[in-house]
Amino acid sequence: MAQKFQTPSGMHDLFGKKTKYFDKIYEVVSNSARFYGFERIETPIIEDTKVFQRAVGNDTDIVEKEMYSFKTKGDDNVSLRPEGTAGVMRAYIENNMYTKPQPVKMFYFGPFFRYERSQAGRYRQFWQFGLEAIGKGCPTIDAQIISAVYGMLKDLGLKDVIVEVNSMGDSKCRGVYKGALKKYLKKVKLCPDCERRAVTNPLRVLDCKQCVEVKQNAPQIIDYLCKSCREDFKKTLEFLDEMNVVYDLNPFLVRGLDYYTGIVYEFFIKDEELPLALGGGGRYDGLSELLGGDERAASGVAMGVERIALAMEKMGVEIKEKKPQIFIAQLGDTAKKKCLRIFETFRKANIPVYESFGKDSLKSQLNQANKLNIRWAIIMGEEEAIKNSAVIRDMVTGSQDLVEIDDLLKEIKIRLKNKK
Ligand code: HAM
């Protein structure tokens, strides 16, 4: 027998129940994002590796350890995108979007790749949706993005959502804080990676999964914020209060990417069995310049679709689907041909119907209709086909009516309306 294959480690096929959650999440997110003025953008799955090195930062786990990077046949160094913000900013700059009214608001929904140790909620290919507002930054925009996502999660049926917030300050006040942090880190025991990071990029130590205890006694950035960063942070929190967003201050939240300035946040569910962040984001006013653009404020968020789907499943959120109430059953070649046409008539009328054109036995088709809890079956045998008619059988009461094919749609509509 030929070799059988499996999905690569940490990657999954999406089908059945999972895709139902994904479709629902997409529906809620795209409707809501458009309402808030975000237009869809999809960037390539692959970018020049430097886009991520510069944007996310060379000392981050993502760039150091988790990127799928390779050389193309044309000798270009590229990487599968580990996140979406860098690509969207590259697109903003490349497509001169600064000529549009600012901020340019964009949302995306697609797969991303990180070579992480796979475990529940952490995969090597995962999906994110993200919102990015580029070209203008202020506490109102930050708060509106947080509140938009908070509302989406609620619309998806999630309860006990909480947002952890902190501020990273701007380049000036963060510089002062980094000095204090470096001093502190010299005195404590660090993992080998952090020994190096303590010198090159000390903030990354606060994000290390191994040096968790180190951060408990570390100086807190909130004490080092300059007046304008503190004011901005305070204003954003006031807006969140206004919009009834439940949040917690977390002075150690630094996020795993280097491009943040100002407010940062992560979404969680207050449930020990769902410990991983559903998503996160913040302000990133310096990213445009890092990618060769001019000075542009920006703000955004990205959410893990698998983690949201997991939370929905755990909370027993049911996806209500418009299930067909009609089944088309046929017997014989002439009837099959006519039923194919009837199926198309219903599709054009936007009335969902089930069929089983692959089956020839009427009994097994009606058994299937019963299993699907179908209310009405349209049954056509050779005799009905010749007379250009079909039987509508009420599968609950067993009553049957013979109707002309031309009247089928009308008759079914009447039954659907009256439900009897
Ligand atoms: P991030 O925190 O790296 O931020 O990722 C956002 C979310 O993506 C995470 O909270 C998580 O739900 C999901 N995620 C990340 N890695 C994995 C994984 N290996 N398996 C499953 N889910 C995962 C960003 O990506 C930033 N680009 C967010 C942002 C947008 N900041 C500003 N704009």
Side-chain angles (χ1 to χ4, degrees), residues 46-147:
I46 291 173
E47 298 272 352
D48 187 318
T49 297
K50 284 201 217 94
V51 170
F52 304 116
Q53 286 172 333
R54 288 211 205 141
V56 177
N58 271 322
D59 294 312
T60 57
D61 275 357
I62 295 180
V63 170
E64 264 184 1
K65 302 175 188 169
E66 297 169 0
M67 286 217 292
Y68 284 86
S69 301
F70 54 97
K71 240 186 207 330
T72 65
K73 289 187 176 129
D75 252 5
D76 296 322
N77 287 309
V78 294
S79 297
L80 295 185
R81 56 185 195 181
E83 61 98 55
T85 314
V88 173
M89 181 59 92
R90 193 260 318 126
Y92 174 94
I93 298 166
E94 185 178 341
N95 296 291
N96 297 336
M97 290 193 205
Y98 39 76
T99 57
K100 293 177 151 202
Q102 307 292 306
V104 179
K105 293 174 166 184
M106 294 170 269
F107 81 95
Y108 48 88
F109 192 106
F112 293 85
F113 304 84
R114 293 184 193 176
Y115 194 82
E116 293 203 62
R117 209 146 49 92
S118 56
Q119 48 178 281
R122 212 181 278 286
Y123 312 107
R124 290 184 177 167
Q125 176 175 339
F126 57 96
W127 287 61
Q128 281 187 345
F129 71 82
L131 309 178
E132 313 288 354
I134 306 180
K136 190 171 183 333
C138 60
T140 336
I141 297 176
D142 297 328
Q144 206 187 25
I145 291 176
I146 297 174
S147 151

Side-chain angles (χ1 to χ4, degrees), residues 353-372:
V353 288
Y354 278 121
E355 47 75 22
S356 188
F357 291 135
K359 282 198 172 94
D360 288 328
S361 144
L362 198 55
K363 194 170 164 214
S364 69
Q365 290 178 67
L366 292 177
N367 275 345
Q368 189 179 350
N370 265 328
K371 273 194 205 140
L372 290 165

Side-chain angles (χ1 to χ4, degrees), residues 153-164:
L153 297 177
K154 282 200 157 176
D155 288 351
L156 287 166
L158 297 186
K159 296 197 181 72
D160 299 326
V161 176
I162 186 147
V163 193
E164 293 196 356

